Amino acid sequence: MNIAKPAVPPLPPELIEKFRAIVGAKYAVTDAADIEPYVTEERDLFHGRSPLVLRPGSTAEVAAICKLASEHRIALVPQGGNTGLVGGQTPHNGEVVVSLRRLDKIRDIDVESNTMTCEAGVVLQIAQQKAAEVDRLFPLSLGAEGSCTIGGNLSTNAGGTAALAYGVAREMAIGLEVVLADGRVLNALSKLKKDNTGYDLRNLFIGAEGTLGIITAATLKLFPRPRAIETAYVGLKSPAAALKLLSISRNEAAGALTSFELLADIAVDFSIRHGIDIRDPLTSKHPWYVLMELSSSRDDARDTLEAILAKGMEDGIVDDAVIAANLSQRQAFWKLRDEMSAAQKPEGGSIKHDISVPVAAVPAFIESANAAVVKLIPGSRPVPFGHLGDGNIHYNVSQPVGADAADFLARWHDVNAVVFEIVLRMGGSISAEHGIGVLKRDELPDVKDKVAIELMRSIKAMLDPQGIMNPGKVL
């Protein structure tokens, strides 16, 4: 998907040399082949261009880049692991890319305070591992955790599969270090749980997608590491049945319920068909599935999970279920879930939605959206799956079998319109955890409170008066 915007003026060679002097020749990338991985993304949906990729190795270098860019009105696009799904990390119009991957240090782990301070380029999986090494848990978990970075997670306010129990990225960050557009550094890397000294500036930058400043480090919350994790894969008849099982699970497990994923049979079929070493955990097929997980500091998680499933069967909600017998089986359950997005690609064009509605409205949303989408494009295949526990459904639509992918994808905004109308009617959001970027930018003014849009524009104008920070994204 190419974004038609006015071209950014060419970057003069003398400015390239000034930027190069900040990071060093080795970390200023100008070769077109070397730049290519920074201007495309995994889904091949967005294609950008850039004359220069800068790979700073410190906050001071990021600050110097922003200061120079501000002086010469050079547009910058911050980038972490380049795993974003809405085009927010792509230089669509020739901007300079600022890759944060070299800012990869864990600055501090404080077990007593239950905090970890790490730089923006730390890969999420590394953060998880470093927490585990000191017998702590950093619970943010998502499919791209092997390549996405902490800075990107915070800039997009990532959600993931454990948001039900631990919240989204915003709730896991206590403090931030941010470089502003003019090169000033906001140092708010506090470990304090209580700090009422004025406005909470941290939350301005979390979820802002790099449009207000560049996050260079963060102080993150750690949690006690669970002693017992139990995982079940459940077959049932409908999202309504899954909702009833969720209610039972919450009543029985309380805070121990950490994940509750709803999976349509078509999504499971795609994963099994196109994934590697993925099989159906159950012996018979079901219209819907739930992947649920309990985590506990005690040894009662297994008993609790068995009690939940027994009640579900007794009430006619659960048709079949299997509990992971070991770590390998648990990983196999999650691999089936994690491969669902990638498994849609071999099926042709896929129109993606990352929506949320009130949890109780999820069954009605799926029913209404399925009917509306198939009516709009006969033969299209809705592939809903996601985080039922917090109302966040990845409502994807695969093309009709044998259809032309380009023709199908050309209906992207038509499909958006019918899906978003249902979402808004139900009091939901058109972006639950992926962000706005450019993919949903044009729809945002129509779905966001008008005063909220005005305030967002005012904040953007104050912090980035020249409009150099990730221009054209979000607003």
Side-chain angles (χ1 to χ4, degrees):
M1 183 178 293
N2 293 305
I3 307 301
K5 295 287 286 184
V8 173
L11 193 62
E14 59 271 21
L15 270 181
I16 291 180
E17 288 305 314
K18 288 183 178 180
F19 281 120
R20 181 179 282 119
I22 293 171
V23 299
K26 182 179 179 181
Y27 301 113
V29 184
T30 55
D31 181 78
D34 293 334
I35 286 174
E36 184 65 17
Y38 297 89
V39 299
T40 56
E41 41 83 50
E42 185 179 352
R43 289 192 304 172
D44 202 31
L45 187 63
F46 298 102
H47 304 271
R49 56 191 176 85
S50 176
L52 176 65
V53 174
L54 298 172
R55 303 182 62 230
S58 68
T59 299
E61 289 182 2
V62 177
I65 289 168
C66 290
K67 185 175 187 296
L68 181 60
S70 179
E71 290 170 353
H72 295 274
R73 301 194 70 159
I74 304 299
L76 304 175
V77 174
Q79 190 178 101
N82 195 15
T83 61
L85 299 174
V86 292
Q89 79 280 18
T90 304
H92 297 286
N93 304 290
E95 301 93 337
V96 172
V97 174
V98 182
S99 171
L100 283 301
R101 296 181 197 178
R102 288 184 61 225
L103 273 68
D104 60 357
K105 298 178 182 63
I106 304 290
R107 295 185 183 176
D108 176 69
I109 298 180
D110 185 339
V111 175
E112 298 303 322
S113 296
N114 273 325
T115 63
M116 174 171 60
T117 300
C118 58
E119 295 181 339
V122 172
V123 172
L124 174 55
Q125 193 170 69
I126 298 298
Q128 295 168 344
Q129 292 170 357
K130 292 298 182 182
E133 288 174 7
V134 294
D135 200 31
R136 292 293 184 270
L137 171 73
F138 181 60
L140 186 62
S141 180
L142 45 144
E145 62 192 29
S147 52
C148 65
T149 62
I150 293 299
N153 297 150
L154 293 172
S155 291
T156 57
N157 192 26
T161 56
L164 171 62
Y166 298 101
V168 295
R170 183 186 306 279
E171 294 161 274
M172 298 181 199
I174 302 173
L176 293 184
E177 176 185 85
V178 184
V179 176
L180 304 181
D182 59 8
R184 288 180 296 164
V185 179
L186 172 65
N187 187 355
L189 285 174
S190 172
K191 297 180 182 180
L192 301 178
K193 191 169 187 177
K194 294 182 177 180
D195 183 358
N196 264 343
T197 54
Y199 303 139
D200 185 357
L201 301 175
R202 165 189 62 112
N203 273 326
L204 279 177
F205 300 97
I206 298 176
E209 301 184 45
T211 61
L212 302 180
I214 300 178
I215 296 173
T216 51
T219 301
L220 307 172
K221 293 180 184 177
L222 300 181
F223 297 82
R225 196 176 180 192
R227 299 295 177 231
I229 299 176
E230 298 291 344
T231 311
Y233 186 80
V234 183
L236 26 69
K237 293 183 176 64
S238 66
L243 192 62
K244 291 177 182 176
L245 181 62
L246 175 63
S247 179
I248 293 171
S249 302
R250 281 175 160 160
N251 288 338
E252 295 291 328
L257 181 65
T258 47
S259 297
F260 199 95
E261 300 288 294
L262 177 67
L263 318 172
D265 60 346
I266 187 172
V268 172
D269 288 345
F270 284 179
S271 279
I272 294 170
R273 187 182 311 166
H274 302 296
I276 299 173
D277 295 327
I278 295 177
R279 65 177 185 82
D280 194 332
L282 298 176
T283 56
S284 59
K285 291 178 63 63
H286 301 269
W288 291 87
Y289 301 88
V290 161
L291 176 58
M292 60 183 295
E293 193 159 271
L294 272 61
S295 304
S296 177
S297 58
R298 302 194 301 270
D299 294 327
D300 59 352
R302 180 83 177 200
D303 292 342
T304 302
L305 183 54
E306 289 176 348
I308 290 168
L309 296 176
K311 183 165 179 53
M313 288 181 173
E314 182 182 312
D315 292 351
I317 297 167
V318 172
D319 293 332
D320 197 4
V322 58
I323 298 176
N326 49 48
L327 177 60
S328 177
Q329 195 169 33
R330 174 182 175 245
Q331 291 172 336
F333 290 0
W334 278 108
K335 184 178 181 183
L336 184 153
R337 161 66 180 88
D338 291 340
E339 291 294 321
M340 283 184 174
S341 293
Q344 291 165 61
K345 194 168 185 177
E347 295 290 329
S350 178
I351 297 175
K352 314 285 189 182
H353 304 90
D354 162 47
I355 65 90
S356 61
V357 294
V359 174
V362 168
F365 162 75
I366 292 175
E367 181 179 5
S368 297
N370 285 358
V373 165
V374 173
K375 181 180 180 181
L376 179 70
I377 305 179
S380 59
R381 297 171 290 167
V383 188
F385 63 96
H387 322 302
L388 179 60
D390 53 39
N392 173 199
I393 300 299
H394 300 298
Y395 188 79
N396 301 339
V397 183
S398 285
Q399 69 175 60
V401 174
D404 181 80
D407 289 344
F408 177 73
L409 292 175
R411 305 291 304 275
W412 193 293
H413 291 291
D414 297 336
V415 176
N416 280 176
V418 299
V419 172
F420 290 167
E421 188 278 327
I422 297 166
V423 169
L424 297 175
R425 175 158 39 90
M426 294 183 172
S429 168
I430 67 169
S431 179
E433 62 179 3
H434 292 165
I436 296 297
V438 293
L439 186 64
K440 303 176 186 180
R441 177 194 61 201
D442 295 339
E443 282 88 359
L444 187 63
D446 295 327
V447 303
K448 192 81 173 173
D449 176 78
K450 304 306 179 188
V451 174
I453 290 288
E454 290 172 5
L455 288 173
M456 288 168 64
R457 293 190 186 281
S458 297
I459 292 168
K460 170 71 170 173
M462 180 190 70
L463 290 174
D464 183 22
Q466 299 189 79
I468 67 169
M469 301 303 294
N470 215 6
K473 315 298 172 54
V474 183
L475 295 171

